[in-house]
Amino acid sequence: MSQHSRKRLTSGKKAILGVSALAASGLAVGLLVTPSAVAEGTGAAEALKQNQAAAADARAAKAAAPKSLAARSAGSTVLSGVTVNGGNSAAVGTKNTQTITVKWKLSGGSTLYGSHASLWRGTDIASGPEQFITSEQFNAGTEPCVPSGDATFDCTATYKIDPRIDLSNEDAGAWKISLWAVTDATTGVDTDNARTWYLQRWSRLSNNAAPEPVAKGETITITGKLERANWDTYKYAGYTQQIVHLQERSLTGSYATTSSHRTGTGSQAGVEKKTRTATTDRCYRYKFEGTSTTPPVSGTGDCVDVR
């Protein structure tokens, strides 16, 4: 993630244009270009500038290619199948570096001059993103796309996020994908919002039912604690005032919600505690449905032996 962080230095990266375009044109050396933007500091603005420069270089290479190659395909480059980690979210904890994978498909052009996707957060690109993350492939100067059929390409880019270097709590929530592609089709792809996705603070939920064993008719107390990653302190902290569901099942049945409650605050931050009367052997757990900043999680069920 050396291209984006307010905490890391950025550096100029060499952009390698599409392999298929180079091989077809015979310009494998001549079209290996360096973005005009050279890093002069840190931050999202510099990473955005380098990404825009790489896109400009791809367009220039298309313009410089032989006429027979540069405009073989009429129509537009079509973007489809944009996903983040196979869905639309990614969760990061407090210590370990997380790899985020973005995939997309291009069609409508038989020659690819370049394509890259970047992750960003903010109001809009024009006013300057709060974060702008370029991929490992962009940083290494490699093409993320490979031919997958007649005038189609499958693309995969990965992004390394270290919460101790790259994130603060304000980064949790909605992000977007900026994506461009240049092919021999008349029109390329250039969008600041190929997909909205969510970067979330990793969650965990404990629960314990006690005492075990318990006499029939006695009280069982089910205690749980909902926590999530804090990217400012690099620790886990109780997630307050969140709805959690107490679920129960028989020893061989399926869990079903029996009541819903809000987690505690202050010294009881994230804590939930409820009681039940012991009747038969039964299992208990808490479940959290998640928010835009925090993924859903269920506690490990705890079964109580009633005697």
Side-chain angles (χ1 to χ4, degrees):
M1 290 179 61
S2 58
Q3 288 289 313
H4 85 284
S5 175
R6 53 184 172 271
K7 302 175 186 176
R8 284 186 177 179
L9 295 177
T10 58
S11 58
K13 298 295 180 181
K14 179 169 61 179
I16 299 179
L17 299 175
V19 174
S20 61
L22 301 181
S25 65
L27 300 177
V29 176
L31 293 183
L32 205 59
V33 293
T34 302
S36 57
V38 177
E40 297 176 349
T42 63
E46 182 57 43
L48 173 60
K49 186 195 303 183
Q50 293 183 23
N51 180 68
Q52 291 172 334
D57 288 335
R59 290 190 292 269
K62 175 182 178 179
K67 294 297 183 181
S68 59
L69 177 67
R72 273 196 315 218
S73 301
S76 301
T77 305
V78 177
L79 170 68
S80 62
V82 182
T83 63
V84 178
N85 282 355
N88 69 341
S89 64
V92 180
T94 60
K95 297 180 181 180
N96 297 328
T97 297
Q98 177 75 25
T99 298
I100 294 175
T101 301
V102 173
K103 294 187 177 183
W104 67 98
K105 182 182 287 288
L106 300 170
S107 59
S110 59
T111 302
L112 177 65
Y113 290 89
S115 181
H116 281 288
S118 301
L119 313 177
W120 70 279
R121 181 182 70 82
T123 303
D124 62 78
I125 289 287
S127 63
E130 297 294 327
Q131 289 267 39
F132 192 92
I133 305 173
T134 49
S135 70
E136 297 293 293
Q137 289 72 25
F138 184 89
N139 297 346
T142 57
E143 176 61 58
C145 303
V146 296
S148 58
D150 183 21
T152 62
F153 298 86
D154 287 335
C155 309
T156 301
T158 56
Y159 310 78
K160 302 289 187 182
I161 296 184
D162 184 343
R164 290 178 173 263
I165 297 176
D166 305 311
L167 300 176
S168 62
N169 287 341
E170 66 182 10
D171 291 318
W175 286 55
K176 295 180 175 65
I177 295 177
S178 173
L179 196 151
W180 58 266
V182 178
T183 73
D184 60 350
T186 303
T187 305
V189 172
D190 188 5
T191 176
D192 293 334
N193 190 8
R195 186 178 181 90
T196 297
W197 63 286
Y198 295 87
L199 183 63
Q200 300 175 315
R201 296 160 62 178
W202 191 270
S203 58
R204 61 191 189 187
L205 178 57
S206 64
N207 57 253
N208 178 66
E212 300 177 61
V214 64
K216 187 174 182 178
E218 295 296 320
T219 298
I220 300 171
T221 301
I222 305 99
T223 304
K225 186 174 184 179
L226 175 64
E227 299 179 293
R228 63 174 178 169
N230 187 313
W231 295 334
D232 294 333
T233 64
Y234 316 123
K235 298 178 181 179
Y236 280 83
Y239 196 9
T240 64
Q241 291 294 289
Q242 298 303 307
I243 294 176
V244 295
H245 307 293
L246 178 58
Q247 298 188 319
E248 304 178 26
R249 68 169 174 83
S250 65
L251 295 183
T252 58
S254 300
Y255 278 107
T257 296
T258 57
S259 59
S260 300
H261 318 275
R262 286 194 180 274
T263 56
T265 60
S267 62
Q268 296 295 302
V271 173
E272 181 55 45
K273 184 181 293 186
K274 293 299 170 184
T275 60
R276 292 289 186 267
T277 299
T279 55
T280 61
D281 293 353
R282 203 154 180 81
C283 305
Y284 305 87
R285 73 175 186 182
Y286 285 109
K287 182 178 181 179
F288 172 60
E289 298 289 353
T291 64
S292 62
T293 62
T294 311
V297 62
S298 296
T300 301
D302 193 9
C303 300
V304 177
D305 178 16
V306 179
R307 298 180 179 180

